Amino acid sequence: MKQQTTWTLQSGSVWLVAGLSWQYLPLRGHRGMRLRAKEADATHWAELLTDDGRSQGTLLGTVALTDKTVMKRGRHSLVSLALTALPSLPAESYGVFALPSGQYWFVAVSNGMLSPFGDIVGDEHFIRTAVSNFLHISPPPTEGWTVFAPPGFFPGLQTEEKTLSALTGSKAGLRRARLHKTHNKQALWMWGAAAVAIVGGYLLVTAWQQHQEAARVAAAQSALLARQHQEGSIPADSLKPWAKHPRFPVMLSACSTVWKAAQISIAGWIFNNATCDADGKIALHYTLPSGGTVGDFAARLPVIYGPDIQPEFNIPGRADDAAFTLAVPLSAPSGPESLLPGNLQIQHLTSYAQRINAQLRISELDTNTQLSQGSVQNLPWRTFSFTFITDIPPDRLFAPTRFNSSGIRASRIMTALKDNRLEYTIEGLLYAN
């Protein structure tokens, strides 16, 4: 949901920006990051390359800035306060810093890397919740955390006091902390020039495509014959059910992008819950408080999402629930990944749930055979159904750097507002050797 709060501070020729929304992506590339920032409706973004020895990725921070003082052109440049402060923070630390108007800024570093659960701006209650979520998901370091906070903020906890100026005094991190514009006019001009070149070579490309089409038909026929020869022994990739559905982190990220962009309130109606399924649809429900009408909601919704999105109300009935459906871009993987042993994957998922105090239910399904071309095959995998309930955003919880989700597929993901907090329920299937 849109609950991001930002805070800016001018320091010489730069503006320091706090309150970016961070997420880990298992890929690299300036263009890819800009496209992800555009999908998140951000005006600016920053990146931090990561490498844990097993995989390389990018920590992407996005922010939507509307302050005209900050957005105006000139010699001033925008930088991330979190990335600027990173070189001045210990490798295992977190800190809370007082801001004007009674707000605070929370930043966290784990294994020497900026944590995606940090860089949060808010009041005292909001910040304490953010600190609690960070400590729940992050295993404690061997020598403990180094904690920075105003005197008395964490009673009974040994803390150090540090000023923001001490974090931003070094100029070494300013280049890495730079915020890039999501909409780059120079890039648009280059794309326009490229389009002209493509049109100019259209006739040559058409002739080449006709030649390639004949080659593709021959290759497809050869592949079909090869698959038919393999049918008698090992199940083909097309028979493996996890090859037909989007991978676990991909679906979590896609669904999260949609409901994070959803409005908390529409014409006075309050967000209640959302259900995202593997078919690429998400249904959002809003409830009616005192003083609103179905007419208000029906008139406001097309303004936000366009005339094609129309609400449905529980009429006949109490007329206090409004629902509408949005598309979620999902795609199947290029091929099925290798499965882990059943006991290992179940223990891995159970331990992860216990560590973050999540609710988990797992049961095995009796689906060890499959009909293929008129014959029954014994399948070399086991199938389990599971339900995972947590109050931690799942797109961060199951990032590829934190959890090996091989063979796990989500059938639907639900988020509901309970006691002013979001609760997430993931239902799906786990395939294992």
Side-chain angles (χ1 to χ4, degrees), residues 160-204:
E160 301 178 24
E161 190 173 8
K162 204 178 188 73
T163 63
L164 283 176
S165 59
L167 296 178
T168 59
S170 173
K171 303 299 182 182
L174 287 180
R175 181 176 180 83
R176 180 176 63 176
R178 177 190 172 193
L179 295 183
H180 306 278
K181 290 183 179 180
T182 303
H183 299 280
N184 191 326
K185 292 184 178 180
Q186 182 179 3
L188 292 176
W189 181 88
M190 292 177 64
W191 277 109
V196 173
I198 291 174
V199 172
Y202 174 75
L203 294 177
L204 291 176

CSV table of all heavy atoms in Angstrom, one decimal, residues 160-204:
chain,number,residue,atom,x,y,z
A,160,GLU,N,24.5,4.1,21.2
A,160,GLU,CA,25.4,5.2,21.0
A,160,GLU,C,24.7,6.4,20.3
A,160,GLU,O,23.7,6.1,19.5
A,160,GLU,CB,26.6,4.8,20.1
A,160,GLU,CG,27.4,3.7,20.6
A,160,GLU,CD,28.6,3.2,19.7
A,160,GLU,OE1,29.0,4.1,18.9
A,160,GLU,OE2,29.0,2.1,19.8
A,161,GLU,N,25.0,7.6,20.6
A,161,GLU,CA,24.4,8.7,20.0
A,161,GLU,C,25.2,9.2,18.8
A,161,GLU,O,26.4,9.4,19.0
A,161,GLU,CB,24.1,9.8,21.0
A,161,GLU,CG,23.2,10.9,20.4
A,161,GLU,CD,22.8,11.9,21.5
A,161,GLU,OE1,23.4,11.9,22.6
A,161,GLU,OE2,22.0,12.8,21.2
A,162,LYS,N,24.6,9.4,17.7
A,162,LYS,CA,25.4,9.9,16.5
A,162,LYS,C,24.5,10.9,15.7
A,162,LYS,O,23.3,10.7,15.6
A,162,LYS,CB,25.7,8.7,15.6
A,162,LYS,CG,26.9,8.9,14.7
A,162,LYS,CD,27.1,7.6,13.9
A,162,LYS,CE,28.4,7.6,13.1
A,162,LYS,NZ,29.6,7.5,14.0
A,163,THR,N,25.1,12.0,15.2
A,163,THR,CA,24.3,13.0,14.5
A,163,THR,C,24.3,12.7,13.0
A,163,THR,O,25.1,12.0,12.5
A,163,THR,CB,25.0,14.4,14.7
A,163,THR,OG1,26.3,14.4,14.2
A,163,THR,CG2,25.0,14.7,16.2
A,164,LEU,N,23.3,13.2,12.4
A,164,LEU,CA,23.2,13.0,10.9
A,164,LEU,C,24.4,13.6,10.2
A,164,LEU,O,24.9,13.1,9.2
A,164,LEU,CB,21.9,13.6,10.4
A,164,LEU,CG,20.6,12.8,10.6
A,164,LEU,CD1,19.4,13.6,10.1
A,164,LEU,CD2,20.7,11.5,9.9
A,165,SER,N,24.9,14.8,10.7
A,165,SER,CA,26.0,15.4,10.1
A,165,SER,C,27.3,14.5,10.1
A,165,SER,O,28.1,14.5,9.2
A,165,SER,CB,26.3,16.7,10.8
A,165,SER,OG,26.6,16.5,12.2
A,166,ALA,N,27.4,13.7,11.2
A,166,ALA,CA,28.5,12.8,11.3
A,166,ALA,C,28.4,11.7,10.2
A,166,ALA,O,29.4,11.1,9.7
A,166,ALA,CB,28.6,12.1,12.7
A,167,LEU,N,27.2,11.3,9.8
A,167,LEU,CA,27.0,10.3,8.8
A,167,LEU,C,27.2,10.8,7.4
A,167,LEU,O,27.5,10.0,6.5
A,167,LEU,CB,25.6,9.7,8.9
A,167,LEU,CG,25.2,9.0,10.2
A,167,LEU,CD1,23.7,8.5,10.1
A,167,LEU,CD2,26.1,7.8,10.4
A,168,THR,N,27.0,12.1,7.2
A,168,THR,CA,27.0,12.6,5.8
A,168,THR,C,28.2,13.5,5.6
A,168,THR,O,28.3,14.2,4.6
A,168,THR,CB,25.7,13.5,5.6
A,168,THR,OG1,25.6,14.5,6.5
A,168,THR,CG2,24.5,12.6,5.7
A,169,GLY,N,29.1,13.5,6.5
A,169,GLY,CA,30.3,14.4,6.4
A,169,GLY,C,31.2,14.0,5.3
A,169,GLY,O,31.9,14.8,4.6
A,170,SER,N,31.3,12.6,5.1
A,170,SER,CA,32.2,12.1,4.0
A,170,SER,C,31.7,12.3,2.6
A,170,SER,O,30.5,12.1,2.4
A,170,SER,CB,32.5,10.6,4.3
A,170,SER,OG,33.3,10.1,3.3
A,171,LYS,N,32.5,12.7,1.7
A,171,LYS,CA,32.1,12.9,0.3
A,171,LYS,C,32.3,11.6,-0.5
A,171,LYS,O,31.9,11.6,-1.7
A,171,LYS,CB,32.8,14.1,-0.3
A,171,LYS,CG,32.7,15.4,0.4
A,171,LYS,CD,31.2,15.8,0.5
A,171,LYS,CE,31.1,17.2,1.2
A,171,LYS,NZ,29.7,17.6,1.3
A,172,ALA,N,32.9,10.6,0.1
A,172,ALA,CA,33.3,9.4,-0.7
A,172,ALA,C,32.1,8.7,-1.2
A,172,ALA,O,32.1,8.1,-2.3
A,172,ALA,CB,34.1,8.4,0.2
A,173,GLY,N,30.9,8.7,-0.5
A,173,GLY,CA,29.8,7.9,-0.9
A,173,GLY,C,28.8,8.6,-1.8
A,173,GLY,O,27.8,8.1,-2.2
A,174,LEU,N,29.0,9.9,-2.0
A,174,LEU,CA,28.0,10.7,-2.7
A,174,LEU,C,27.8,10.2,-4.2
A,174,LEU,O,26.7,10.2,-4.6
A,174,LEU,CB,28.5,12.2,-2.8
A,174,LEU,CG,28.3,13.0,-1.4
A,174,LEU,CD1,28.8,14.4,-1.6
A,174,LEU,CD2,26.9,12.9,-0.9
A,175,ARG,N,28.8,9.8,-4.9
A,175,ARG,CA,28.7,9.4,-6.3
A,175,ARG,C,27.8,8.1,-6.3
A,175,ARG,O,26.9,8.0,-7.2
A,175,ARG,CB,30.0,9.2,-6.9
A,175,ARG,CG,30.0,8.7,-8.4
A,175,ARG,CD,31.3,8.6,-9.0
A,175,ARG,NE,31.2,8.2,-10.4
A,175,ARG,CZ,31.0,9.0,-11.4
A,175,ARG,NH1,30.9,10.3,-11.2
A,175,ARG,NH2,31.0,8.6,-12.6
A,176,ARG,N,28.1,7.2,-5.4
A,176,ARG,CA,27.4,5.9,-5.4
A,176,ARG,C,25.9,6.2,-4.9
A,176,ARG,O,25.0,5.4,-5.3
A,176,ARG,CB,28.0,4.9,-4.4
A,176,ARG,CG,27.3,3.6,-4.3
A,176,ARG,CD,28.1,2.6,-3.5
A,176,ARG,NE,28.2,3.1,-2.1
A,176,ARG,CZ,28.7,2.3,-1.1
A,176,ARG,NH1,29.2,1.2,-1.4
A,176,ARG,NH2,28.8,2.8,0.1
A,177,ALA,N,25.7,7.2,-4.2
A,177,ALA,CA,24.4,7.5,-3.6
A,177,ALA,C,23.5,8.3,-4.5
A,177,ALA,O,22.4,8.6,-4.1
A,177,ALA,CB,24.5,8.2,-2.3
A,178,ARG,N,23.9,8.6,-5.7
A,178,ARG,CA,23.2,9.5,-6.6
A,178,ARG,C,21.8,8.9,-7.0
A,178,ARG,O,21.7,7.7,-7.2
A,178,ARG,CB,24.0,9.8,-7.8
A,178,ARG,CG,23.3,10.6,-8.9
A,178,ARG,CD,24.1,10.6,-10.2
A,178,ARG,NE,23.3,11.3,-11.3
A,178,ARG,CZ,23.6,11.2,-12.6
A,178,ARG,NH1,24.7,10.5,-12.9
A,178,ARG,NH2,22.9,11.8,-13.5
A,179,LEU,N,20.8,9.8,-7.0
A,179,LEU,CA,19.5,9.4,-7.5
A,179,LEU,C,19.4,9.7,-9.0
A,179,LEU,O,19.7,10.8,-9.4
A,179,LEU,CB,18.4,10.1,-6.7
A,179,LEU,CG,18.2,9.8,-5.2
A,179,LEU,CD1,17.0,10.6,-4.7
A,179,LEU,CD2,18.1,8.3,-5.0
A,180,HIS,N,18.9,8.7,-9.7
A,180,HIS,CA,18.7,8.8,-11.2
A,180,HIS,C,17.3,9.1,-11.5
A,180,HIS,O,16.4,8.7,-10.8
A,180,HIS,CB,19.1,7.5,-11.9
A,180,HIS,CG,20.5,7.1,-11.6
A,180,HIS,ND1,21.7,7.6,-12.1
A,180,HIS,CD2,20.9,6.1,-10.7
A,180,HIS,CE1,22.7,7.0,-11.6
A,180,HIS,NE2,22.3,6.1,-10.7
A,181,LYS,N,17.0,9.9,-12.5
A,181,LYS,CA,15.7,10.2,-12.9
A,181,LYS,C,15.1,9.0,-13.7
A,181,LYS,O,15.8,8.3,-14.5
A,181,LYS,CB,15.6,11.4,-13.9
A,181,LYS,CG,16.0,12.7,-13.2
A,181,LYS,CD,15.8,13.9,-14.2
A,181,LYS,CE,16.1,15.2,-13.5
A,181,LYS,NZ,16.0,16.3,-14.4
A,182,THR,N,13.8,8.7,-13.4
A,182,THR,CA,13.2,7.5,-14.0
A,182,THR,C,12.9,7.8,-15.5
A,182,THR,O,13.1,7.0,-16.3
A,182,THR,CB,11.9,7.2,-13.3
A,182,THR,OG1,12.2,6.9,-11.9
A,182,THR,CG2,11.2,6.0,-13.9
A,183,HIS,N,12.5,9.1,-15.8
A,183,HIS,CA,12.1,9.4,-17.1
A,183,HIS,C,13.3,10.3,-17.7
A,183,HIS,O,13.5,11.4,-17.3
A,183,HIS,CB,10.9,10.2,-17.2
A,183,HIS,CG,9.7,9.5,-16.7
A,183,HIS,ND1,9.0,8.5,-17.4
A,183,HIS,CD2,9.1,9.5,-15.5
A,183,HIS,CE1,8.0,8.0,-16.7
A,183,HIS,NE2,8.0,8.6,-15.6
A,184,ASN,N,14.1,9.6,-18.6
A,184,ASN,CA,15.3,10.3,-19.1
A,184,ASN,C,15.0,10.7,-20.5
A,184,ASN,O,14.8,9.9,-21.4
A,184,ASN,CB,16.4,9.2,-19.1
A,184,ASN,CG,17.8,9.9,-19.4
A,184,ASN,OD1,17.8,10.8,-20.2
A,184,ASN,ND2,18.8,9.4,-18.8
A,185,LYS,N,15.0,12.1,-20.7
A,185,LYS,CA,14.6,12.6,-22.0
A,185,LYS,C,15.7,12.2,-23.1
A,185,LYS,O,15.4,12.0,-24.2
A,185,LYS,CB,14.5,14.1,-22.0
A,185,LYS,CG,13.3,14.6,-21.2
A,185,LYS,CD,13.1,16.1,-21.2
A,185,LYS,CE,11.8,16.5,-20.4
A,185,LYS,NZ,11.7,18.0,-20.5
A,186,GLN,N,17.0,12.2,-22.6
A,186,GLN,CA,18.0,11.8,-23.6
A,186,GLN,C,17.8,10.4,-24.1
A,186,GLN,O,18.0,10.1,-25.2
A,186,GLN,CB,19.4,12.0,-22.9
A,186,GLN,CG,20.5,11.7,-23.9
A,186,GLN,CD,21.9,11.8,-23.2
A,186,GLN,OE1,22.0,12.1,-22.1
A,186,GLN,NE2,22.9,11.6,-24.0
A,187,ALA,N,17.4,9.5,-23.1
A,187,ALA,CA,17.2,8.1,-23.5
A,187,ALA,C,16.0,8.0,-24.5
A,187,ALA,O,16.1,7.2,-25.4
A,187,ALA,CB,16.9,7.3,-22.3
A,188,LEU,N,15.0,8.8,-24.2
A,188,LEU,CA,13.8,8.8,-25.1
A,188,LEU,C,14.2,9.2,-26.5
A,188,LEU,O,13.8,8.7,-27.6
A,188,LEU,CB,12.7,9.7,-24.6
A,188,LEU,CG,12.0,9.2,-23.3
A,188,LEU,CD1,11.0,10.3,-22.8
A,188,LEU,CD2,11.4,7.9,-23.5
A,189,TRP,N,15.1,10.3,-26.6
A,189,TRP,CA,15.6,10.7,-27.9
A,189,TRP,C,16.4,9.6,-28.6
A,189,TRP,O,16.2,9.4,-29.9
A,189,TRP,CB,16.4,12.0,-27.8
A,189,TRP,CG,16.9,12.5,-29.1
A,189,TRP,CD1,16.3,13.4,-29.9
A,189,TRP,CD2,18.2,12.2,-29.7
A,189,TRP,NE1,17.1,13.7,-31.0
A,189,TRP,CE2,18.2,13.0,-30.9
A,189,TRP,CE3,19.2,11.4,-29.4
A,189,TRP,CZ2,19.3,12.9,-31.8
A,189,TRP,CZ3,20.3,11.3,-30.2
A,189,TRP,CH2,20.4,12.0,-31.4
A,190,MET,N,17.2,8.9,-27.9
A,190,MET,CA,18.0,7.8,-28.5
A,190,MET,C,17.1,6.7,-29.0
A,190,MET,O,17.3,6.1,-30.0
A,190,MET,CB,19.0,7.3,-27.4
A,190,MET,CG,20.1,8.3,-27.1
A,190,MET,SD,21.2,7.7,-25.8
A,190,MET,CE,21.9,6.3,-26.6
A,191,TRP,N,16.0,6.4,-28.2
A,191,TRP,CA,15.1,5.4,-28.7
A,191,TRP,C,14.4,5.8,-30.0
A,191,TRP,O,14.1,5.0,-30.8
A,191,TRP,CB,14.1,5.1,-27.6
A,191,TRP,CG,14.6,4.1,-26.6
A,191,TRP,CD1,14.9,4.4,-25.3
A,191,TRP,CD2,14.8,2.7,-26.7
A,191,TRP,NE1,15.3,3.3,-24.6
A,191,TRP,CE2,15.2,2.2,-25.5
A,191,TRP,CE3,14.6,1.8,-27.8
A,191,TRP,CZ2,15.6,0.9,-25.3
A,191,TRP,CZ3,15.0,0.5,-27.6
A,191,TRP,CH2,15.4,0.0,-26.4
A,192,GLY,N,14.1,7.1,-30.1
A,192,GLY,CA,13.4,7.6,-31.3
A,192,GLY,C,14.3,7.5,-32.5
A,192,GLY,O,13.9,7.1,-33.6
A,193,ALA,N,15.6,7.8,-32.3
A,193,ALA,CA,16.6,7.6,-33.4
A,193,ALA,C,16.7,6.2,-33.8
A,193,ALA,O,16.8,5.8,-35.0
A,193,ALA,CB,17.9,8.2,-33.0
A,194,ALA,N,16.7,5.3,-32.8
A,194,ALA,CA,16.8,3.8,-33.0
A,194,ALA,C,15.6,3.4,-33.8
A,194,ALA,O,15.7,2.5,-34.7
A,194,ALA,CB,16.9,3.0,-31.7
A,195,ALA,N,14.4,3.9,-33.5
A,195,ALA,CA,13.2,3.5,-34.2
A,195,ALA,C,13.3,3.9,-35.7
A,195,ALA,O,12.8,3.1,-36.6
A,195,ALA,CB,12.0,4.2,-33.6
A,196,VAL,N,13.8,5.1,-36.0
A,196,VAL,CA,14.0,5.5,-37.4
A,196,VAL,C,14.9,4.5,-38.1
A,196,VAL,O,14.7,4.2,-39.3
A,196,VAL,CB,14.5,6.9,-37.4
A,196,VAL,CG1,14.9,7.3,-38.9
A,196,VAL,CG2,13.5,7.9,-36.8
A,197,ALA,N,16.0,4.1,-37.4
A,197,ALA,CA,16.9,3.2,-38.1
A,197,ALA,C,16.2,1.8,-38.3
A,197,ALA,O,16.5,1.2,-39.4
A,197,ALA,CB,18.1,3.0,-37.2
A,198,ILE,N,15.4,1.4,-37.4
A,198,ILE,CA,14.7,0.1,-37.6
A,198,ILE,C,13.7,0.2,-38.8
A,198,ILE,O,13.7,-0.8,-39.6
A,198,ILE,CB,13.9,-0.3,-36.3
A,198,ILE,CG1,14.9,-0.6,-35.2
A,198,ILE,CG2,13.0,-1.4,-36.5
A,198,ILE,CD1,14.2,-0.8,-33.9
A,199,VAL,N,13.0,1.3,-38.9
A,199,VAL,CA,12.1,1.4,-40.1
A,199,VAL,C,12.9,1.4,-41.4
A,199,VAL,O,12.5,0.8,-42.4
A,199,VAL,CB,11.3,2.7,-39.9
A,199,VAL,CG1,10.5,3.0,-41.2
A,199,VAL,CG2,10.3,2.6,-38.7
A,200,GLY,N,14.0,2.1,-41.4
A,200,GLY,CA,14.9,2.1,-42.6
A,200,GLY,C,15.3,0.8,-43.0
A,200,GLY,O,15.5,0.5,-44.2
A,201,GLY,N,15.6,-0.2,-42.1
A,201,GLY,CA,16.0,-1.5,-42.4
A,201,GLY,C,15.0,-2.5,-42.5
A,201,GLY,O,15.3,-3.7,-42.5
A,202,TYR,N,13.7,-2.1,-42.6
A,202,TYR,CA,12.6,-3.0,-42.5
A,202,TYR,C,12.6,-4.0,-43.7
A,202,TYR,O,12.4,-5.3,-43.5
A,202,TYR,CB,11.3,-2.3,-42.5
A,202,TYR,CG,10.1,-3.1,-42.6
A,202,TYR,CD1,9.6,-3.9,-41.5
A,202,TYR,CD2,9.4,-3.3,-43.8
A,202,TYR,CE1,8.5,-4.7,-41.6
A,202,TYR,CE2,8.2,-4.1,-43.9
A,202,TYR,CZ,7.8,-4.8,-42.8
A,202,TYR,OH,6.7,-5.6,-42.9
A,203,LEU,N,12.9,-3.6,-44.9
A,203,LEU,CA,12.8,-4.5,-46.1
A,203,LEU,C,13.9,-5.6,-46.0
A,203,LEU,O,13.6,-6.8,-46.3
A,203,LEU,CB,13.0,-3.7,-47.3
A,203,LEU,CG,11.9,-2.7,-47.7
A,203,LEU,CD1,12.2,-1.9,-48.9
A,203,LEU,CD2,10.6,-3.4,-47.8
A,204,LEU,N,15.1,-5.2,-45.5
A,204,LEU,CA,16.1,-6.2,-45.3
A,204,LEU,C,15.8,-7.3,-44.2
A,204,LEU,O,16.0,-8.5,-44.4
A,204,LEU,CB,17.5,-5.6,-45.0
A,204,LEU,CG,18.1,-4.7,-46.1
A,204,LEU,CD1,19.4,-4.0,-45.5
A,204,LEU,CD2,18.4,-5.6,-47.3
